[in-house]
Amino acid sequence: MAEAKTVFIKTYGCQMNVYDSGRMADVLARDGYEVTETAEGADLVLLNTCHIREKAAEKVYSELGRIRQMKNAARAAGREMKIAVAGCVAQAEGEEIVARAPAVDVVVGPQSYHRLPAILQRAARDGHAVETEFPAENKFDHMPPVGSARTSRSVTAFLTVQEGCDKFCTFCVVPYTRGAEVSRPAGRIVEEAERLAAQGVREITLLGQNVNAYSGEAPGGRWSLARLLERLSDVPGLERLRYTTSHPRDMGDDLIAAHRDLPALMPYLHLPVQSGSDRILKAMNRRHRRDDYFRIIDRLRAARPDLALSGDFIVGFPGETDDDFEDTLRLVEAVGYAQAYSFKYSPRPGTPAAEAAAHVPEAVKSERLTRLQALLERQQKAFNGTMRGRVVDVLLEKPGRRPGQIIGRSPWLQAVQVDAPAEMIGTIVPVRIVEIGSNSLFGAFEENREPMRATA
Ligand code: SAH
Ligand code: SF4
Ligand code: F3S
């Protein structure tokens, strides 16, 4: 056993990075590292970064500035602090990171996390180490079991089932930073889910950049995401399943049917459309039209009438006119979202759209974003408002801010604050929603009540 060392991990970006940070902690635990909650005093500071928009990528450098000062202070006190940069900025920028921030010891891309201990050793020998190759072996085959470094028991967990993207939307860096689509074998996922359930996890969110394109090796042929969900709904202790992020093109018949047939599959779906204009969808290389999206939504709602929808939108994509933008607003009006993310288009180095001629002025992007967000906020409020007075199933997840308060989630992913004893964490209870806040709902625990299903 190696001597005890500490690692502080800071995670940016998407849920997959959250999952990866946990797995890096598992890998480092084998090497003697314990996770610590503060950067100061840590032997290793690991930034797990995101490259999706310019702002996200730039944040890393300001953080590196702060950490370099800590590193210098540690050195003055006779201690060593190593700095590692992982994630999508690491993959996209590689050596450039060390050139711009020489205090960085290690740069490691998302497909090499299983090699972290060896990379750290190389850095100790050579001054620094950069690893952004896509290795032939699959990292998941070379990682210790999930939860090796788990310090606190949690009720919900992410589980990556698919990674990478072959879609090449013209605005997006992900196909370059995460590589080609790879699905993990079904058996390994079931094992990991069983392990998580045994550790007390009640809800798993399956992750993939294109999670519904999942096609994993399994005995007797490949399994689709629907088949995998069906199998996972049999895992003892697992009560709730979710998946994200899906692409409209991969919303297969069996997956739509799963929303009707699997009670464990929660009635909430993040299905980004990005734009409501056919012209822009084409320029984005989304490879579907707005009507295709409407048809999918209709079929999903026919399968699961209380399904709530979430989405992602980009405003100000190159060439987007006022009419195109109005089409997006009309699509949002027509669909009615429970929740959504919206962004100003950010040109990313190496992507086709960044080379486009007709960039939309920043002021126009800002104005469009404000209008879109106002509409989406109204929809979210309206959706949350429908919960008032209802009794809904809440999975109690963790202690709230006040003593005696627990924070949980509704089936529609809304945060719900409930007064209930701490022993009830990890259970699903009927809760009457009495108040609608801006970030969460407030509810009272209803004894002896069967939860009703809300209808959207
Ligand atoms: N795989 C997911 C998206 C992952 S990126 C999908 O296909 O939907 C998450 C979101 O970031 C995207 O849905 C998009 O809305 C936004 N995004 C990606 N690239 C962007 C860019 N260059 N500028 C602004 N937003 C971007
Ligand atoms: Fe990016 Fe498009 Fe792939 Fe999503 S589907 S990760 S937006 S390229
Ligand atoms: Fe960001 Fe990479 Fe996720 S770019 S959104 S961390 S896949």
Side-chain angles (χ1 to χ4, degrees):
M1 184 73 197
E3 74 178 288
K5 292 166 281 187
T6 56
V7 55
F8 171 74
I9 306 180
K10 181 155 181 177
T11 308
Y12 302 82
C14 61
Q15 291 113 321
M16 193 171 286
N17 266 8
V18 175
Y19 175 81
D20 287 343
S21 289
R23 297 313 303 273
M24 284 191 270
D26 292 336
V27 169
L28 291 167
R30 201 167 50 181
D31 215 33
Y33 281 95
E34 253 174 55
V35 173
T36 161
E37 298 304 315
T38 50
E40 257 133 19
D43 297 298
L44 173 64
V45 173
L46 173 60
L47 302 184
N48 193 6
T49 63
C50 174
H51 201 246
I52 201 80
R53 285 167 291 274
E54 192 183 351
K55 263 201 196 125
E58 283 305 313
K59 251 191 232 161
V60 176
Y61 288 99
S62 50
E63 187 67 15
L64 283 173
R66 268 196 297 277
I67 294 165
R68 187 198 47 197
Q69 289 175 347
M70 283 183 214
K71 181 177 173 134
N72 291 342
R75 183 163 294 161
R79 284 189 304 103
E80 263 305 307
M81 174 188 275
K82 299 272 181 220
I83 304 177
V85 178
C88 290
V89 177
Q91 188 60 44
E93 298 187 358
E95 289 279 356
E96 271 172 66
I97 297 177
V98 186
R100 225 178 124 177
V104 169
D105 299 280
V106 161
V107 175
V108 56
Q111 301 316 326
S112 303
Y113 293 157
H114 57 301
R115 296 184 177 176
L116 254 176
I119 301 168
L120 282 163
Q121 269 174 20
R122 226 171 61 220
R125 194 189 60 209
D126 303 343
H128 75 268
V130 175
E131 185 137 331
T132 54
E133 302 294 302
F134 288 99
E137 79 276 8
N138 185 293
K139 65 178 165 187
F140 293 113
D141 295 339
H142 298 272
M143 284 182 174
V146 75
S148 310
R150 188 170 287 261
T151 44
S152 61
R153 214 175 64 99
S154 49
V155 169
T156 62
F158 295 125
L159 200 177
T160 293
V161 302
Q162 179 278 337
E163 188 168 353
C165 182
D166 298 339
K167 295 266 187 312
F168 292 93
C169 300
T170 54
F171 51 82
C172 185
V173 294
V174 171
Y176 313 98
T177 63
R178 292 277 169 173
E181 278 180 17
V182 177
S183 293
R184 295 176 66 191
R188 303 299 295 267
I189 294 164
V190 173
E191 258 170 48
E192 194 170 317
E194 286 171 345
R195 231 187 130 80
L196 288 167
Q199 289 166 6
V201 168
R202 296 288 160 259
E203 172 180 307
I204 289 183
T205 303
L206 304 182
L207 298 182
Q209 267 87 36
N210 274 291
V211 71
N212 56 344
Y214 176 81
S215 172
E217 268 170 47
R222 295 195 161 264
W223 280 12
S224 65
L225 185 67
R227 182 80 196 273
L228 181 66
L229 285 164
E230 191 187 330
R231 173 66 186 84
L232 292 177
S233 65
D234 289 337
V235 171
L238 266 191
E239 317 253 9
R240 288 180 164 189
L241 296 170
R242 305 178 185 276
Y243 60 93
T244 198
T245 296
S246 297
H247 193 289
R249 295 238 342 159
D250 297 311
M251 216 59 226
D253 293 345
D254 62 343
L255 189 54
I256 292 175
H259 281 277
R260 181 193 60 214
D261 299 335
L262 299 179
L265 185 54
M266 290 294 99
Y268 178 94
L269 180 64
H270 184 63
L271 192 62
V273 65
Q274 315 297 354
S275 166
S277 153
D278 279 339
R279 231 172 49 80
I280 297 298
L281 286 171
K282 186 152 200 256
M284 287 176 162
N285 191 33
R286 292 291 289 182
R287 295 187 292 168
H288 68 79
R289 287 164 310 146
R290 65 187 261 131
D291 277 348
D292 302 321
Y293 186 75
F294 286 138
R295 266 205 305 275
I296 294 164
I297 303 285
D298 288 345
R299 291 175 57 215
L300 280 160
R301 283 182 166 151
R304 184 80 208 236
D306 64 343
L307 186 81
L309 286 157
S310 157
D312 289 343
F313 297 90
I314 294 177
V315 300
F317 184 82
E320 186 186 71
T321 63
D322 286 338
D323 282 348
D324 293 320
F325 175 63
E326 294 296 331
D327 280 341
T328 299
L329 293 178
R330 277 191 289 267
L331 177 142
V332 171
E333 292 278 10
V335 171
Y337 288 89
Q339 196 271 343
Y341 301 96
S342 45
F343 312 99
K344 287 193 263 187
Y345 169 71
S346 168
R348 305 307 292 130
T351 60
E355 314 294 321
H359 280 280
V360 174
E362 227 17 64
V364 177
K365 288 186 198 171
S366 298
E367 195 232 289
R368 288 179 187 166
L369 187 68
T370 306
R371 281 182 66 197
L372 175 60
Q373 290 187 337
L375 172 59
L376 291 167
E377 255 168 55
R378 274 205 303 282
Q379 293 193 337
Q380 180 167 16
K381 268 205 175 130
F383 177 72
N384 288 342
T386 64
M387 299 290 148
R388 194 187 303 276
R390 286 188 179 168
V391 178
V392 302
D393 271 344
V394 174
L395 171 59
L396 300 175
E397 291 180 14
K398 56 185 173 205
R401 240 174 288 144
R402 279 195 292 103
Q405 198 176 49
I406 298 180
I407 301 181
R409 295 245 174 216
S410 78
W412 304 277
L413 213 53
Q414 296 146 303
V416 186
Q417 318 246 18
V418 193
D419 288 320
E423 306 85 76
M424 292 182 73
I425 288 176
T427 61
I428 295 175
V429 298
V431 168
R432 181 177 296 280
I433 303 302
V434 292
E435 202 187 317
I436 317 288
S438 46
N439 297 313
S440 55
L441 312 181
F442 296 86
F445 171 46
E446 289 258 311
E447 259 156 309
N448 310 320
R449 256 315 279 270
E450 278 295 300
M452 313 185 292
R453 271 194 184 173
T455 44

